[in-house]
Amino acid sequence: TGPINSMNCFIQLVTGIFTNIGTCPNLDFTNTATLMSTGQQASVCVDVTCPNPDLANYSISNDADAFTAFNGVNNLSSQTVAIADNVVLTIDTQTPNFNFNNCTLIMGSGSQIIINPNCTLGLHNNTVIYSCPQMWRGISVGIGSQIVMRNSTIRDAEYAITLDDHANYEIRDSYILNCVTGLYTDPSLS
């Protein structure tokens, strides 16, 4: 609505989340801050868009195992991966120890990562997994399998990590954000 004290400029960071995509000048994408001491207000509108999946290094549009999806490698570094809506990426015995290092995974709505029994998925060094504009299903860790998460982030999932019976997890210096459930274990397995 107007600048806050235009004679004495300062930068104020205002953060928030948006629940849908869209463009300005729609009021749904406008944050308004009020300076408590003076009552002055300032507004900013932010275009909220999803990244273009066509710009990803890897685009997965059908259910696939990691061996096939990533051409036989078991270590992916500094890559962007787009997984389409309702697609399942499976970590299986062809690549029983698969690692994402400093990668970005853009998950389509309803998509999922499944770690089959006796396999391990590693998320390392600023790997970020998120979805736009709808939530994805999350990572399912099978019987006897493991997820290792170090200095990484999982966002926007229904269940960020679901652990089956005798599944293992290691989460260090990492974040699970904006998920319905962060870490889920079936209570009947306890």
Side-chain angles (χ1 to χ4, degrees), residues 23 28 31 50-51 63 71-72 83 88 101 107 114 121 126 128-129 132 173 178:
T23 58
D28 291 339
N31 278 332
C50 292
D63 291 355
N71 305 315
I83 299 178
V88 176
N101 291 294
M107 308 298 291
I114 295 176
L121 173 64
N126 297 312
V128 177
I129 305 176
C132 186
D173 302 318
N178 304 329

PDB file of all heavy atoms in Angstrom, residues 23 28 31 50-51 63 71-72 83 88 101 107 114 121 126 128-129 132 173 178:
ATOM      1  N   THR A  23      -0.380 -15.715 -10.223  1.00  0.00           N
ATOM      2  CA  THR A  23       0.412 -14.521 -10.519  1.00  0.00           C
ATOM      3  C   THR A  23      -0.230 -13.272  -9.919  1.00  0.00           C
ATOM      4  O   THR A  23      -1.400 -13.262  -9.554  1.00  0.00           O
ATOM      5  CB  THR A  23       0.541 -14.322 -12.045  1.00  0.00           C
ATOM      6  OG1 THR A  23      -0.761 -14.219 -12.615  1.00  0.00           O
ATOM      7  CG2 THR A  23       1.289 -15.481 -12.683  1.00  0.00           C
ATOM      8  N   ASP A  28      -4.290 -13.118  -3.284  1.00  0.00           N
ATOM      9  CA  ASP A  28      -3.857 -14.349  -2.624  1.00  0.00           C
ATOM     10  C   ASP A  28      -2.338 -14.465  -2.584  1.00  0.00           C
ATOM     11  O   ASP A  28      -1.793 -15.257  -1.820  1.00  0.00           O
ATOM     12  CB  ASP A  28      -4.419 -15.578  -3.339  1.00  0.00           C
ATOM     13  CG  ASP A  28      -5.926 -15.704  -3.159  1.00  0.00           C
ATOM     14  OD1 ASP A  28      -6.457 -15.113  -2.202  1.00  0.00           O
ATOM     15  OD2 ASP A  28      -6.551 -16.403  -3.972  1.00  0.00           O
ATOM     16  N   ASN A  31       1.695 -10.367   0.388  1.00  0.00           N
ATOM     17  CA  ASN A  31       1.976 -10.274   1.822  1.00  0.00           C
ATOM     18  C   ASN A  31       1.961  -8.803   2.198  1.00  0.00           C
ATOM     19  O   ASN A  31       2.534  -7.971   1.494  1.00  0.00           O
ATOM     20  CB  ASN A  31       3.354 -10.847   2.161  1.00  0.00           C
ATOM     21  CG  ASN A  31       3.341 -12.354   2.285  1.00  0.00           C
ATOM     22  OD1 ASN A  31       2.327 -12.933   2.621  1.00  0.00           O
ATOM     23  ND2 ASN A  31       4.476 -12.974   2.025  1.00  0.00           N
ATOM     24  N   CYS A  50       5.653 -23.029 -10.433  1.00  0.00           N
ATOM     25  CA  CYS A  50       6.394 -24.276 -10.285  1.00  0.00           C
ATOM     26  C   CYS A  50       7.536 -24.279 -11.286  1.00  0.00           C
ATOM     27  O   CYS A  50       7.429 -23.682 -12.356  1.00  0.00           O
ATOM     28  CB  CYS A  50       5.481 -25.472 -10.551  1.00  0.00           C
ATOM     29  SG  CYS A  50       4.217 -25.695  -9.284  1.00  0.00           S
ATOM     30  N   PRO A  51       8.623 -24.969 -10.956  1.00  0.00           N
ATOM     31  CA  PRO A  51       9.725 -25.045 -11.927  1.00  0.00           C
ATOM     32  C   PRO A  51       9.300 -25.814 -13.166  1.00  0.00           C
ATOM     33  O   PRO A  51       8.403 -26.658 -13.116  1.00  0.00           O
ATOM     34  CB  PRO A  51      10.822 -25.786 -11.165  1.00  0.00           C
ATOM     35  CG  PRO A  51      10.161 -26.405 -10.004  1.00  0.00           C
ATOM     36  CD  PRO A  51       8.899 -25.670  -9.733  1.00  0.00           C
ATOM     37  N   ASP A  63       6.523 -45.319 -14.230  1.00  0.00           N
ATOM     38  CA  ASP A  63       7.122 -46.061 -13.128  1.00  0.00           C
ATOM     39  C   ASP A  63       8.443 -46.662 -13.585  1.00  0.00           C
ATOM     40  O   ASP A  63       8.546 -47.196 -14.695  1.00  0.00           O
ATOM     41  CB  ASP A  63       6.192 -47.177 -12.660  1.00  0.00           C
ATOM     42  CG  ASP A  63       4.944 -46.645 -11.971  1.00  0.00           C
ATOM     43  OD1 ASP A  63       4.835 -45.423 -11.775  1.00  0.00           O
ATOM     44  OD2 ASP A  63       4.078 -47.466 -11.618  1.00  0.00           O
ATOM     45  N   ASN A  71      20.312 -44.746 -15.916  1.00  0.00           N
ATOM     46  CA  ASN A  71      21.289 -45.366 -16.826  1.00  0.00           C
ATOM     47  C   ASN A  71      22.362 -46.193 -16.120  1.00  0.00           C
ATOM     48  O   ASN A  71      23.534 -46.162 -16.491  1.00  0.00           O
ATOM     49  CB  ASN A  71      21.943 -44.309 -17.714  1.00  0.00           C
ATOM     50  CG  ASN A  71      20.912 -43.494 -18.467  1.00  0.00           C
ATOM     51  OD1 ASN A  71      19.964 -44.039 -19.011  1.00  0.00           O
ATOM     52  ND2 ASN A  71      21.087 -42.185 -18.471  1.00  0.00           N
ATOM     53  N   GLY A  72      21.968 -46.900 -15.066  1.00  0.00           N
ATOM     54  CA  GLY A  72      22.882 -47.830 -14.413  1.00  0.00           C
ATOM     55  C   GLY A  72      23.797 -47.250 -13.361  1.00  0.00           C
ATOM     56  O   GLY A  72      24.566 -47.981 -12.753  1.00  0.00           O
ATOM     57  N   ILE A  83       9.987 -35.982 -11.524  1.00  0.00           N
ATOM     58  CA  ILE A  83       9.206 -37.219 -11.527  1.00  0.00           C
ATOM     59  C   ILE A  83       7.744 -36.823 -11.697  1.00  0.00           C
ATOM     60  O   ILE A  83       7.208 -36.047 -10.910  1.00  0.00           O
ATOM     61  CB  ILE A  83       9.447 -38.027 -10.245  1.00  0.00           C
ATOM     62  CG1 ILE A  83      10.938 -38.408 -10.164  1.00  0.00           C
ATOM     63  CG2 ILE A  83       8.553 -39.254 -10.203  1.00  0.00           C
ATOM     64  CD1 ILE A  83      11.337 -39.174  -8.938  1.00  0.00           C
ATOM     65  N   VAL A  88       6.043 -43.905  -9.720  1.00  0.00           N
ATOM     66  CA  VAL A  88       6.785 -44.525  -8.623  1.00  0.00           C
ATOM     67  C   VAL A  88       8.210 -44.791  -9.083  1.00  0.00           C
ATOM     68  O   VAL A  88       8.430 -45.433 -10.115  1.00  0.00           O
ATOM     69  CB  VAL A  88       6.119 -45.848  -8.178  1.00  0.00           C
ATOM     70  CG1 VAL A  88       6.955 -46.544  -7.112  1.00  0.00           C
ATOM     71  CG2 VAL A  88       4.704 -45.589  -7.663  1.00  0.00           C
ATOM     72  N   ASN A 101      23.328 -36.914  -4.300  1.00  0.00           N
ATOM     73  CA  ASN A 101      24.232 -35.958  -3.678  1.00  0.00           C
ATOM     74  C   ASN A 101      24.016 -34.584  -4.303  1.00  0.00           C
ATOM     75  O   ASN A 101      24.208 -34.416  -5.502  1.00  0.00           O
ATOM     76  CB  ASN A 101      25.694 -36.378  -3.906  1.00  0.00           C
ATOM     77  CG  ASN A 101      26.038 -37.634  -3.148  1.00  0.00           C
ATOM     78  OD1 ASN A 101      26.056 -37.631  -1.925  1.00  0.00           O
ATOM     79  ND2 ASN A 101      26.285 -38.713  -3.872  1.00  0.00           N
ATOM     80  N   MET A 107       8.940 -33.603  -7.376  1.00  0.00           N
ATOM     81  CA  MET A 107       8.008 -34.717  -7.395  1.00  0.00           C
ATOM     82  C   MET A 107       6.630 -34.251  -7.868  1.00  0.00           C
ATOM     83  O   MET A 107       6.101 -33.263  -7.364  1.00  0.00           O
ATOM     84  CB  MET A 107       7.892 -35.323  -5.994  1.00  0.00           C
ATOM     85  CG  MET A 107       9.231 -35.691  -5.353  1.00  0.00           C
ATOM     86  SD  MET A 107      10.158 -36.942  -6.260  1.00  0.00           S
ATOM     87  CE  MET A 107       9.129 -38.377  -5.985  1.00  0.00           C
ATOM     88  N   ILE A 114       9.929 -45.739  -3.541  1.00  0.00           N
ATOM     89  CA  ILE A 114       9.831 -46.964  -2.745  1.00  0.00           C
ATOM     90  C   ILE A 114      11.214 -47.593  -2.661  1.00  0.00           C
ATOM     91  O   ILE A 114      11.862 -47.813  -3.690  1.00  0.00           O
ATOM     92  CB  ILE A 114       8.831 -47.959  -3.364  1.00  0.00           C
ATOM     93  CG1 ILE A 114       7.417 -47.373  -3.334  1.00  0.00           C
ATOM     94  CG2 ILE A 114       8.883 -49.302  -2.637  1.00  0.00           C
ATOM     95  CD1 ILE A 114       6.370 -48.249  -4.013  1.00  0.00           C
ATOM     96  N   LEU A 121      18.632 -46.059   0.379  1.00  0.00           N
ATOM     97  CA  LEU A 121      18.602 -44.788  -0.343  1.00  0.00           C
ATOM     98  C   LEU A 121      19.313 -43.753   0.505  1.00  0.00           C
ATOM     99  O   LEU A 121      18.994 -43.582   1.689  1.00  0.00           O
ATOM    100  CB  LEU A 121      17.159 -44.331  -0.611  1.00  0.00           C
ATOM    101  CG  LEU A 121      17.010 -42.927  -1.213  1.00  0.00           C
ATOM    102  CD1 LEU A 121      17.644 -42.858  -2.603  1.00  0.00           C
ATOM    103  CD2 LEU A 121      15.550 -42.521  -1.268  1.00  0.00           C
ATOM    104  N   ASN A 126      22.838 -31.428   0.749  1.00  0.00           N
ATOM    105  CA  ASN A 126      21.874 -30.449   0.241  1.00  0.00           C
ATOM    106  C   ASN A 126      20.932 -30.999  -0.819  1.00  0.00           C
ATOM    107  O   ASN A 126      20.434 -30.244  -1.653  1.00  0.00           O
ATOM    108  CB  ASN A 126      22.576 -29.193  -0.289  1.00  0.00           C
ATOM    109  CG  ASN A 126      23.328 -28.469   0.802  1.00  0.00           C
ATOM    110  OD1 ASN A 126      22.786 -28.236   1.875  1.00  0.00           O
ATOM    111  ND2 ASN A 126      24.575 -28.144   0.554  1.00  0.00           N
ATOM    112  N   VAL A 128      17.450 -31.859  -2.078  1.00  0.00           N
ATOM    113  CA  VAL A 128      16.122 -31.349  -1.725  1.00  0.00           C
ATOM    114  C   VAL A 128      15.092 -32.103  -2.554  1.00  0.00           C
ATOM    115  O   VAL A 128      15.222 -32.201  -3.775  1.00  0.00           O
ATOM    116  CB  VAL A 128      16.002 -29.832  -2.000  1.00  0.00           C
ATOM    117  CG1 VAL A 128      14.601 -29.341  -1.709  1.00  0.00           C
ATOM    118  CG2 VAL A 128      17.038 -29.063  -1.188  1.00  0.00           C
ATOM    119  N   ILE A 129      14.082 -32.631  -1.870  1.00  0.00           N
ATOM    120  CA  ILE A 129      12.967 -33.294  -2.546  1.00  0.00           C
ATOM    121  C   ILE A 129      11.707 -32.516  -2.189  1.00  0.00           C
ATOM    122  O   ILE A 129      11.396 -32.340  -1.013  1.00  0.00           O
ATOM    123  CB  ILE A 129      12.808 -34.760  -2.101  1.00  0.00           C
ATOM    124  CG1 ILE A 129      14.111 -35.537  -2.297  1.00  0.00           C
ATOM    125  CG2 ILE A 129      11.676 -35.425  -2.865  1.00  0.00           C
ATOM    126  CD1 ILE A 129      14.055 -36.966  -1.789  1.00  0.00           C
ATOM    127  N   CYS A 132       5.394 -29.659  -6.404  1.00  0.00           N
ATOM    128  CA  CYS A 132       4.701 -28.433  -6.789  1.00  0.00           C
ATOM    129  C   CYS A 132       3.715 -28.758  -7.905  1.00  0.00           C
ATOM    130  O   CYS A 132       4.092 -29.448  -8.838  1.00  0.00           O
ATOM    131  CB  CYS A 132       5.714 -27.397  -7.275  1.00  0.00           C
ATOM    132  SG  CYS A 132       4.996 -25.787  -7.617  1.00  0.00           S
ATOM    133  N   ASP A 173      21.246 -33.608  10.609  1.00  0.00           N
ATOM    134  CA  ASP A 173      21.372 -32.249  10.071  1.00  0.00           C
ATOM    135  C   ASP A 173      20.471 -32.044   8.858  1.00  0.00           C
ATOM    136  O   ASP A 173      20.887 -31.486   7.842  1.00  0.00           O
ATOM    137  CB  ASP A 173      22.834 -31.948   9.702  1.00  0.00           C
ATOM    138  CG  ASP A 173      23.769 -32.106  10.891  1.00  0.00           C
ATOM    139  OD1 ASP A 173      23.397 -31.665  11.995  1.00  0.00           O
ATOM    140  OD2 ASP A 173      24.856 -32.689  10.723  1.00  0.00           O
ATOM    141  N   ASN A 178       6.744 -29.012   5.893  1.00  0.00           N
ATOM    142  CA  ASN A 178       5.465 -28.876   5.190  1.00  0.00           C
ATOM    143  C   ASN A 178       4.891 -30.211   4.732  1.00  0.00           C
ATOM    144  O   ASN A 178       4.354 -30.322   3.637  1.00  0.00           O
ATOM    145  CB  ASN A 178       5.602 -27.925   3.987  1.00  0.00           C
ATOM    146  CG  ASN A 178       6.128 -26.567   4.404  1.00  0.00           C
ATOM    147  OD1 ASN A 178       5.879 -26.113   5.509  1.00  0.00           O
ATOM    148  ND2 ASN A 178       6.863 -25.929   3.524  1.00  0.00           N
TER     149      ASN A 178
END
